[in-house]
Structures are given as C-alpha cells and as structure tokens.
Amino acid sequence: MDALNVYAAKMAPQQESLANGHRACQGCAELLAVRLVAKTLGQDFIIANATGCLEIVTSSYPHSAWKVPWIHVAFENAAAVASGVEAGIKILKKKGKYPVDREIKIIAQAGDGGTVDIGLQALSGALERGHDFMYLCYDNEAYMNTGIQRSSSTPYGASTTTSPSGSESIGQVTMKKNVVEIAVAHDIPYVATASPSYPFDLMEKVRKGAEAKGPAYIHVLAPCPTGWRLAPNLALSIGRLAVQTKVFPLYEVVNGQYRMTVSYKNHRPVADYLKPQGRFRHLKEADIAFIQQHVDSSYDRLLKKIEMSEG
C-alpha cells in the first residue's frame, strides 16, 4: 500500500477499538494516531496506559472510550505493568488456564513525559528482559496535560511554561533526547518512528511491531495544537512538514538494520516547520540557522547507518 496515499481510507480496517466521543482537544493528532493503532491491532489486545493526555481524555470516570481491556497505570510504569501482564499470561498458559494457541498482543503506551523522562527506567528494563510486547510513545514534546511543561523530548528553542522564551532566554536550551536510538541500543527486534500524517506507513509499522517476537518500540510524533500554539486544522500538515524538513525522519530498524520508509529527493528548510508554530515564534534567523545545522547533522548520521545496513 502506498505509504504516502492519504486518500485510500476505505482500504483501512473498518473495526474500531477506540470509540468516538472522547474529550481530546480539537485537532489532536495523538488521538488520530491512537485510532490508527487500534484499527491495526483489531480487538485482541490488552493496553497498559500511563498517566497523560491519552489516559485523561479517553477514561473520564465513569466512562471509557476503550472497547478492549485497558488499565490506567502511573506515569512511570506502563512498561513494567505490560511486562507483568505478558508474564502472567505465560504462566496461565503453562497451568492450562488460558488457551495455549491464543495470540493476544500486549501494548504499553505513554506520552513523551511517561517515556523519555519518568518511565525510561521501566521501559529499558522491559526491553532488556525481552518481554513480548509493543511500546508506543505518543510524543507531543512536553507535559501537555499538566500545563505545557518541558520534557527531555522538547526540542531546542521551544517556549514552554517551564522553559519560557524572553529577553534572557531562547526557551528550551537542550536538544531533544533521542529515545529511538536508546531503544535500538537494546538490540530488540523492531524499532520505528511514525506519524499520523502518514497513516499507512504508521499502520504498517504497527503491524510489524505486533508480529515481532519480542519487544517492539514505535515512537510517534503527535503534533499538539494547544501546546505548539498551532491552528487545529494544521496539525497533520505540520506533521508532514516535520518529515519534509528532516526534523522527524520516518524509518525503521529491523533486527539492527536501518531502512528509511518515507523519503524525499528535495527537503524543505527547517524554517518551514518552525514558523507556523507559536512556540518557535521568538526565534531569530541565527537561531533557525543553528537548528538547521543540527537537523542536517542528525539526518546525515541516520543516512550513514542506513548505508551501512544496505552494505
């Protein structure tokens, strides 16, 4: 299926495991990504969901938007809980209390705060132990549900409530933590980046991650109109700009082998991605040039890994 074709919606699975009527903000790209993930997985999966935007907007007591087994866990332990569920099912199968031939997928999901900051230890442990589960990080690049505070996934130069821009500050002063490469360093079967702006590429990666024997990690860029100070109708187009400007390349790592899944012959300047977003509005030309240099350097390192994988 053409990964760039966004007009072939009728070819996507019709089943829905995430009901409509949730309370996400207008234009939330995270909820679109989650819906695509749920469509791909069908209905035979269990979710451990860390505290965050996704947990709040889909599970306002006494209602739930989920049509599958779903458990809310603390910020830091989605991967640990998923590990326990996976191990528990193994034991039940050994005791004859669970169908041996039933293949039910275990999913852990969290935002960037619950993944790159608070949940990184539990994630690393689960990946290292080799549990058969898939972890999805929906990265909106800050703690959006508690008031747009910076995380270690917030990009350089972004203004947040705890890294505000001003006469003495550019905003976030550190570069975005590369958790994808941290996952790759665990030598697990499948790692990928994905975007709801490229729905079929995202769904294909979810399918591969679910079929992998062992841990899989997928890092999804989830534009947040509220926190990125962006018009809601621009959420998906800004996601495409992230790829077209090399800010967020779409690739996968299968058993250590890198492959680009969406590529462009000519890339747009990073300014095209930064300028529509209010969180970058204060940046000067020199700041943008510095970010462009960093983006180019990071992308070139990725290309070298892909070239080495291709031999």
Side-chain angles (χ1 to χ4, degrees), residues 43 91 151 172 273:
Q43 295 186 318
I91 295 299
S151 75
Q172 175 80 338
Y273 171 71

Side-chain angles (χ1 to χ4, degrees), residues 64-253:
S64 173
W66 292 98
K67 299 179 181 178
V68 295
W70 178 93
I71 181 171
H72 167 221
V73 300
F75 248 127
E76 69 274 17
N77 61 353
V81 172
S83 301
V85 173
E86 188 256 1
I89 289 176
K90 279 184 179 176
I91 295 299
L92 290 175
K93 286 184 176 181
K94 284 184 179 179
K95 292 183 175 180
K97 296 182 178 180
Y98 197 90
V100 176
D101 58 349
R102 183 177 178 183
E103 294 291 337
I104 188 165
K105 197 63 191 175
I106 312 302
I107 305 298
Q109 58 185 19
D112 49 296
T115 302
V116 305
D117 290 341
I118 308 171
L120 187 57
Q121 181 182 10
L123 173 61
S124 178
L127 298 182
E128 182 272 332
R129 292 190 299 271
H131 290 281
D132 188 6
F133 80 119
M134 180 163 60
Y135 191 103
L136 291 127
C137 173
Y138 300 103
D139 181 7
N140 55 22
E141 300 187 329
Y143 290 83
M144 299 303 184
N145 71 306
T146 54
I148 318 176
Q149 296 92 356
R150 70 168 293 277
S151 75
S152 56
S153 194
T154 301
Y156 176 85
S159 181
T160 72
T161 54
T162 51
S163 61
S165 61
S167 59
E168 301 296 328
S169 172
I170 193 174
Q172 175 80 338
V173 295
T174 57
M175 294 294 177
K176 182 183 178 85
K177 185 187 293 181
N178 193 337
V179 181
V180 179
E181 286 302 312
I182 293 175
V184 172
H186 287 76
D187 199 22
I188 60 177
Y190 191 78
V191 179
T193 61
S195 166
S197 300
Y198 297 81
F200 295 116
D201 178 74
L202 184 153
M203 288 190 287
E204 178 65 8
K205 288 168 176 172
V206 171
R207 183 189 66 77
K208 288 182 177 180
E211 291 178 354
K213 298 302 179 186
Y217 177 86
I218 300 180
H219 197 96
V220 182
L221 184 66
C224 170
T226 303
W228 294 18
R229 300 185 179 94
L230 182 75
N233 64 324
L234 297 180
L236 291 185
S237 61
I238 206 71
R240 285 192 286 274
L241 281 170
V243 177
Q244 293 165 359
T245 57
K246 303 186 289 187
V247 168
F248 192 82
L250 295 178
Y251 64 100
E252 63 183 5
V253 186

